[in-house]
Amino acid sequence: MADVAAHVGVSRQLVSLVLGDRPGPSTRTRERVLRAAEELGYRADTAAQLLRRARSRQVGVLFTMEHPMDADLVEALYPEAARHDYSVALSAMLANRTERQAIDELVGLRCEALILIGMSAQAPEDLARVAERVPVVEIGQRTNAAGTDSVRTDAVRGVRQAVDHLVSLGHRRIAHVHGGDLPSAPERRAGYLEGMREHGLQAYVDLVPGAYTEEAGARAASALLARGRLPTAVVCCNDQSARGLMETLLRAGRSVPGDVSVVGYDDSRAARLSFLRLTSVRQDVNRIAELTLGAVAERLEEGRTENTHVVLPTTLTVRDSTAPPHP
């Protein structure tokens, strides 16, 4: 700031007012100072600014880099955080980096609250200890850890909608590529079982091991192809899994939806690709982001102490990957 002040011929205090967007300097002086800052390559030291503040107004977001849905959520969180006058700090979960390391890094950056996306179901008491220090909001699951909030969609109902849609088209032999114990996967599996039972199709229940990756979807397709007789429809645990399954079926000479109808979950950007046109259960990421930051603000600004757990409805987006089965 001293360099900018010397370049313009004004005091350092005046430069501070301009760069802090505070009242006082005239419009002409502001323009001169901002132009000089740009010419000199001035950039504010964000870390130093945070240290000087009584509050950081910074929210930490823990996410994975494996799932497109996580990236969509991060993108939606940024504008919603700005609406509440918060900044966002990101910390990624990697194979060689524990969740606790990622969380401790965010707390060390003076984050006032933590948003956890796609976190594995670790011991609730461990998460409760984190919540004693800063507010914690989970997206996509509810661990019931003390002191935490959660925002998620009704996964049971979402997969029920997928099964209902396929049954309405005439399908009976409907398989489910499940996600094991991954976040929300047990609820999605329960929705499939509930839907098959409600339609009297218990004899056709077909659970295929999978995960939230294209590779897992490809392995599931290979397992189905090895049987010799395919189901007429498959509900996958997410869109990535569905994409891997569809590509493997197509390479094996099978048609989607001619031979097999496929439904995904998330309604991610991949589902809308012109060569996929995937029918998928939609999660409203913008609404999730809005409610998540709302929960953070209630804790930080209004002093709320009781836990809140929000479950949002889902909708089914029907595209070209589903059709009536062949006779």
Side-chain angles (χ1 to χ4, degrees):
M1 276 197 268
D3 292 337
V4 175
H7 189 78
V8 181
V10 297
S11 69
R12 187 181 182 282
Q13 289 73 17
L14 185 62
V15 172
S16 178
L17 289 174
V18 172
L19 298 179
D21 197 24
R22 293 190 290 273
S26 67
T27 301
R28 184 171 179 276
T29 300
R30 286 182 184 278
E31 292 174 353
R32 289 173 60 209
V33 169
L34 292 173
R35 185 164 56 249
E38 184 66 30
E39 291 172 357
L40 294 174
Y42 171 84
R43 295 293 181 272
D45 188 335
T46 305
Q49 289 178 340
L50 287 175
L51 288 172
R52 287 197 300 268
R53 294 179 189 169
R55 288 186 55 186
S56 70
R57 300 201 66 82
Q58 185 163 258
V59 176
V61 178
L62 181 66
F63 72 109
T64 67
M65 301 183 69
E66 296 180 357
H67 310 136
M69 183 66 180
D70 287 10
D72 292 346
L73 283 166
V74 168
E75 185 176 340
L77 287 170
Y78 267 96
E80 197 60 34
R83 196 171 70 82
H84 289 277
D85 194 28
Y86 298 138
S87 60
V88 174
L90 300 178
S91 188
M93 287 184 288
L94 305 171
N96 59 350
R97 193 163 181 256
T98 67
E99 292 167 346
R100 193 52 195 257
Q101 286 175 319
I103 288 173
D104 287 345
E105 179 182 277
L106 291 172
V107 175
L109 290 171
R110 293 188 65 210
C111 290
E112 295 186 337
L114 297 181
I115 296 171
L116 311 181
I117 305 173
M119 201 177 110
S120 65
Q122 63 174 230
E125 59 270 18
D126 185 37
L127 199 54
R129 284 196 292 270
V130 176
E132 290 174 358
R133 303 169 64 187
V134 294
V136 173
V137 184
E138 300 176 88
I139 291 181
Q141 70 174 27
R142 174 181 173 178
T143 62
N144 284 324
T148 64
D149 300 326
S150 66
V151 178
R152 66 194 196 280
T153 54
D154 188 347
V156 174
R157 177 58 184 158
V159 177
R160 273 291 312 271
Q161 290 173 314
V163 173
D164 291 347
H165 168 65
L166 292 169
V167 171
S168 73
L169 292 173
H171 293 278
R172 297 294 179 269
R173 290 187 293 112
I174 303 168
H176 176 51
V177 177
H178 65 83
D181 293 326
L182 291 169
S184 183
E187 290 79 9
R188 298 177 194 190
R189 182 165 59 249
Y192 164 77
L193 294 172
E194 182 180 297
M196 296 294 281
R197 183 176 63 252
E198 288 295 323
H199 289 288
L201 300 176
Q202 297 94 320
Y204 296 101
V205 165
D206 188 359
L207 291 170
V208 184
Y212 291 161
T213 64
E214 291 180 30
E215 292 79 7
R219 287 194 298 270
S222 297
L224 291 172
L225 288 164
R227 299 177 181 178
R229 188 188 188 201
L230 289 170
T232 63
V234 180
V235 179
C236 290
C237 53
N238 77 338
D239 291 348
Q240 276 184 287
S241 174
R243 180 172 181 173
L245 181 131
M246 289 172 67
E247 289 177 348
T248 302
L249 290 176
L250 292 171
R251 283 198 301 271
R254 304 305 177 96
S255 169
V256 176
D259 295 316
V260 183
S261 287
V262 179
V263 181
Y265 197 106
D266 287 338
D267 198 21
S268 62
R269 294 175 184 176
R272 301 191 288 271
L273 293 172
S274 60
F275 58 88
L276 282 183
R277 297 289 300 160
L278 175 66
T279 296
S280 185
V281 179
R282 181 174 183 268
Q283 298 194 77
D284 189 340
V285 294
N286 292 321
R287 181 64 174 153
I288 292 172
E290 177 186 347
L291 291 170
T292 299
L293 267 300
V296 168
E298 287 174 3
R299 291 269 190 180
L300 295 178
E301 316 302 333
E302 301 173 18
R304 174 174 59 80
T305 56
E306 69 277 9
N307 299 353
T308 64
H309 301 285
V310 180
V311 180
L312 293 171
T314 58
T315 56
L316 184 69
T317 304
V318 178
R319 298 190 179 92
D320 299 340
S321 68
T322 52
H326 281 314

